[in-house]
Amino acid sequence: MMQDNLKQLEAAYEIIKNNKLIEIDEKKNDIEILRHAKRLVRVSLPIVMDNGSIRVFEGYRVQYNDARGPFKGGLRYHPEVDEDEVTSLAFWMAIKCAVADIPMGGGKGGIIVNPKELSKTELEKLTRALARALAPVVGPLVDVPAPDVYTTPEMMSWFKDEYSKIVGVDSPAVITGKPLTDGGSKGRDKATGLGAVYALEAYLEKTDKKEITVAVQGFGNAGLHFAELSHPEWKIVAVSDSKSAIYNEAGLNIADLIKHKEETKSVVDFPGSKNVTNEELLALDVDVLVPAALNSVITEKNWENIKAKTIVEIANGPIALPESKKLADKGIVIIPDVLANSGGVVVSYFEWRQNLDKESWETDDVNAKLKDKIRSAFAAIWDAKEKHNLDLRTAAYVLAVARILEAEQKRN
Ligand code: NAD
């Protein structure tokens, strides 16, 4: 995974150098800094389990780059967490924060654990142990974690509480994604979906398209809110979850579909729609395809089936890198993950700001600020794409790498 990131880094650096986008002193070879994580912390977390036995869990925190601000990125609890993956995701966070132009860097962490096998008491002990183990290297101005795969707002509260006890000061800004009642931000729950809506809206303004058909893969936090918050002119004709997909060419009633999903735990068998497979959903002849479930769903096996003219990457890395290039060469516009799903981290940054300033912003205020950030990021990426004839992903990397390098140069 990290290999792909490094390829994108090198490609962006070549464009920055050749077009003299920032001043570069070749002797310094400052790009080398971005090829490495600044710090990798590996922790062992001994926990007394409910049955009295002791189990030791292994965890990581990768602090990739903090030239633009504190490291920022999630903590995931998953049996397959590994060093390479966490490093790669930490690099990605640095790029994402720079694309969104928020003053934060990139980090990521996790524990090798299947949280479904642990009781709530054990999960609390594990999270508090992680906070104690990371306390010397995190902090509101140093590294600010957040939820990620299988971690919850409640866990963020435990982390904050344990860290605050250690430093002796209530420190809500040490972590984001907390519950609203414990320093969380209004608007965080819908921010990723809404950010993707704003990104697509900004792109459509560059075209003459207003009325579009859309297929959304994944109906979880991000996909559901994208569908729920999308414009009336956008017809959501298909959505899916891990069980299967549904399709209605006349458009799906999303409010009714949310109720159906709550009642039956799936989107399948939604009245008035027909069931199709997830592969069929990806290949639908729609204007916009929104992968919002998993990484690597479009690969060499199925990329030629894609008929959508635009893809909005809400999932992280839903398209394999070579296929992303092939699709872009075919004229398919890909709104890249580092922009399309950055709404979550932008509102996490807002949460951090509110905590530091002891403020609480209203939802409308949060959403207006989010819109502003996404539209500015889109405009800058579009500008770079037009000026240097790039696809949007490469343009986003060029912008981000230039911003991070400039910040590094200031301190070296
Ligand atoms: P989630 O767990 O809430 O939802 C995932 C959805 O995908 C569920 O509806 C699930 O049923 C569906 N799914 C799982 N396997 C599938 C399969 N094989 N085919 C089709 N659908 C499948 O997760 P989420 O928070 O909505 O995140 C979705 C993606 O967006 C992930 O890649 C995540 O990294 C990315 N993302 C999320 C956020 C956020 O704030 N939620 C932020 C940035 C990126």
Side-chain angles (χ1 to χ4, degrees):
M1 239 177 137
M2 200 51 213
Q3 284 310 319
D4 276 354
N5 288 346
L6 292 178
K7 270 190 218 152
Q8 283 175 294
L9 175 67
E10 308 297 340
Y13 187 56
E14 281 306 304
I15 295 163
I16 293 167
K17 247 186 357 195
N18 295 342
N19 294 284
K20 300 193 171 42
L21 299 186
I22 58 171
E23 259 183 53
I24 285 178
D25 177 354
E26 293 252 13
K27 275 201 306 292
K28 270 194 174 166
N29 191 23
D30 48 6
I31 187 70
E32 188 60 19
I33 297 172
L34 297 192
R35 293 193 183 106
H36 306 273
K38 186 168 172 183
R39 186 188 281 138
L40 164 65
V41 182
R42 186 180 298 156
V43 295
S44 304
L45 309 168
I47 304 299
V48 180
M49 306 297 282
D50 292 347
N51 66 7
S53 69
I54 290 182
R55 265 182 79 184
V56 181
F57 295 89
E58 196 174 329
Y60 300 96
R61 182 72 184 167
V62 176
Q63 299 180 326
Y64 203 94
N65 186 277
D66 64 346
R68 292 173 43 84
F71 303 102
K72 181 92 199 89
L75 293 170
R76 55 177 56 183
Y77 290 1
H78 196 275
E80 277 149 34
V81 164
D82 74 56
E83 204 178 299
D84 179 64
E85 185 194 45
V86 177
T87 305
S88 173
L89 293 167
F91 169 89
W92 227 335
M93 286 305 298
I95 297 290
K96 207 184 279 190
C97 292
V99 167
D101 202 14
I102 56 175
M104 308 203 96
K108 202 78 166 194
I111 303 178
I112 305 172
V113 60
N114 181 353
K116 290 177 188 160
E117 289 171 0
L118 269 61
S119 71
K120 191 169 166 184
T121 317
E122 290 165 342
L123 284 171
E124 179 169 350
K125 284 184 188 167
L126 188 62
T127 306
R128 288 183 181 276
L130 182 65
R132 288 194 297 276
L134 294 182
V137 293
V138 298
L141 301 179
V142 181
D143 183 355
V144 184
D148 200 87
V149 177
Y150 296 147
T151 47
T152 63
E154 190 176 32
M155 293 173 185
M156 303 302 109
S157 271
W158 294 331
F159 190 106
K160 178 219 78 169
D161 186 58
E162 194 67 20
Y163 177 83
S164 296
K165 276 187 203 156
I166 293 166
V167 297
V169 184
D170 186 34
S171 305
V174 70
I175 199 159
T176 59
K178 301 177 293 294
L180 259 181
T181 48
D182 195 26
S185 177
K186 291 188 177 119
R188 173 61 189 91
D189 50 342
K190 299 187 177 186
T192 302
L194 186 58
V197 169
Y198 291 147
L200 178 56
E201 198 178 80
Y203 167 65
L204 290 174
E205 285 171 18
K206 301 283 180 195
T207 71
D208 54 6
K209 280 247 169 210
K210 265 206 163 102
E211 292 178 3
I212 50 167
T213 53
V214 186
V216 185
Q217 183 186 46
F219 206 59
N221 178 287
L224 180 152
H225 289 126
F226 172 85
E228 186 189 27
L229 300 167
S230 68
H231 286 230
E233 299 94 2
W234 303 357
K235 199 155 66 175
I236 313 282
V237 294
V239 306
S240 69
D241 57 25
S242 57
K243 297 208 174 96
S244 194
I246 53 166
Y247 175 62
N248 180 348
E249 66 177 337
L252 300 161
N253 179 319
I254 300 300
D256 288 349
L257 179 59
I258 292 172
K259 275 189 222 135
H260 175 80
K261 167 111 188 168
E262 274 165 12
E263 282 158 18
T264 67
K265 305 286 167 232
S266 172
V267 297
V268 177
D269 294 332
F270 180 56
S273 65
K274 67 172 179 181
N275 292 338
V276 294
T277 65
N278 257 297
E279 272 308 314
E280 284 167 331
L281 177 141
L282 292 175
L284 283 173
D285 190 1
V286 286
D287 295 308
V288 178
L289 174 64
V290 184
L294 308 167
N295 66 331
S296 303
V297 290
I298 300 174
T299 63
E300 60 178 339
K301 288 193 190 125
N302 61 358
W303 77 277
E304 282 176 304
N305 303 337
I306 304 294
K307 297 185 198 72
K309 289 132 214 111
T310 304
I311 302 178
V312 181
E313 294 185 324
I314 289 188
N316 282 318
I319 311 177
L321 208 50
E323 281 64 43
S324 172
K325 279 260 164 250
K326 291 179 207 163
L327 289 166
D329 289 347
K330 260 177 72 178
I332 292 174
V333 174
I334 300 169
I335 303 181
D337 45 14
V338 287
L339 171 69
N341 70 26
S342 66
V345 73
V346 169
V347 176
S348 284
Y349 157 63
F350 293 162
E351 178 177 334
W352 176 75
R353 283 270 308 273
Q354 290 170 76
N355 294 158
L356 289 176
D357 297 342
K358 300 198 180 339
E359 286 182 0
S360 173
W361 303 349
E362 291 308 318
T363 311
D364 286 351
D365 193 18
V366 170
N367 290 351
K369 288 185 164 95
L370 171 63
K371 186 170 187 171
D372 203 39
K373 279 280 171 215
I374 299 283
R375 289 183 74 86
S376 304
F378 180 83
I381 293 170
W382 191 264
D383 191 46
K385 159 202 166 332
E386 296 278 285
K387 264 196 198 130
H388 309 296
N389 192 24
L390 309 170
D391 59 75
L392 288 174
R393 189 190 313 282
T394 310
Y397 270 76
V398 165
L399 193 73
V401 173
R403 285 176 175 167
I404 299 171
L405 275 179
E406 268 192 318
E408 280 292 354
Q409 285 171 354
K410 282 194 190 126
R411 60 179 190 180
N412 284 311

